[in-house]
Amino acid sequence: ISNGVAYITVSGELSSQLNQNLGLNNNTVLSVFEDFDKNIWLGLDNGINLINSVSLLKIFVNQKDVLGTIYTSVIYDNFLYLGTNQGLFYKKYNSEDEFEFVKKTQGQVWSLKVIDETFVCCHNSSTFIVKRNEANSSIDTQGTWDFKKLRTNLMSQSNYDGLYVLQKENSSWRLRNKIKGFKNSSRYFILLE
C-alpha cells in the first residue's frame, strides 16, 4: 500500500523495488498479473501500470526533479552516469542509491563517451575527463557536442564553433588543431570511410 512493488528472489532476498519515485502512478498496488510475454501488470489505486521485466531498456522517472532533463547516459566502471541540463550525476549501477552530483559539471552535458578507456563528458563549458566522481577539464574548448574516433591516436571533436582534431599523447588527449574555415556549430556529424 505504501511503497509500490517489490521483486523477491527465490531465496527470499529483496532484488529491487519500484515505487512512485521510480515511475509508478502511485504506491498502492492492489493486484499483480503476469501475461504470456512475461509482462507484469499492476492494478493500482490510481490506474494500471505495465512492467516489461525482460526488456534490456530501463526507464527512470525523476519524480524529485533534482536531475533536470536527461540528455545522455553511460555505464562505466560499474557506475551509471546521467548527463543532464543540470550537470553530470552518477550512482552505482543497479543499486538503490540516490544519484550524486559530479562536482564542476554544473551546466549542459550534451554527450558521454568512453574512448580508449577514457570517459569523456561533452559539456557546454569545456571537455571533461571523468574518473568516478571527479571531472577535470582537459581540453579547453567551449561548447563540446560530441567525439568520434578517427585513428589510433586521433579523435574528432564537434563544438559550438566548428570541428577540432585531438591527438593522444602519453595516454592523454590534447587539442591538435581546429579545422580551418569551418565555423558552424556541429552538434551532429558522421565520419565517412
Side-chain angles (χ1 to χ4, degrees), residues 142-154:
Q142 292 283 318
T144 306
W145 291 114
D146 201 1
F147 283 94
K148 296 212 185 325
K149 184 101 181 252
L150 294 172
R151 292 195 305 250
T152 304
N153 65 337
L154 293 178

Side-chain angles (χ1 to χ4, degrees), residues 105-121:
T105 65
Q106 179 67 37
Q108 305 277 349
V109 175
W110 298 118
S111 62
L112 301 171
K113 299 283 178 151
V114 178
I115 299 174
D116 292 343
E117 302 300 317
T118 302
F119 178 23
V120 182
C121 174

Side-chain angles (χ1 to χ4, degrees), residues 3-42:
N3 205 8
V5 62
Y7 285 88
I8 309 293
T9 66
V10 290
S11 60
E13 302 284 323
L14 178 64
S15 171
S16 63
Q17 189 153 3
L18 287 175
N19 56 30
Q20 192 168 357
N21 284 336
L22 296 174
L24 294 184
N25 286 358
N26 69 26
N27 285 325
T28 304
V29 179
L30 301 173
S31 62
V32 179
F33 174 76
E34 182 180 24
D35 66 20
F36 290 111
D37 296 320
K38 304 275 186 212
N39 294 309
I40 308 294
W41 295 85
L42 303 176

Side-chain angles (χ1 to χ4, degrees), residues 80-93:
L80 172 62
Y81 290 87
L82 300 178
T84 78
N85 67 334
Q86 301 296 312
L88 182 62
F89 294 84
Y90 78 105
K91 75 171 192 160
K92 189 96 168 150
Y93 180 61

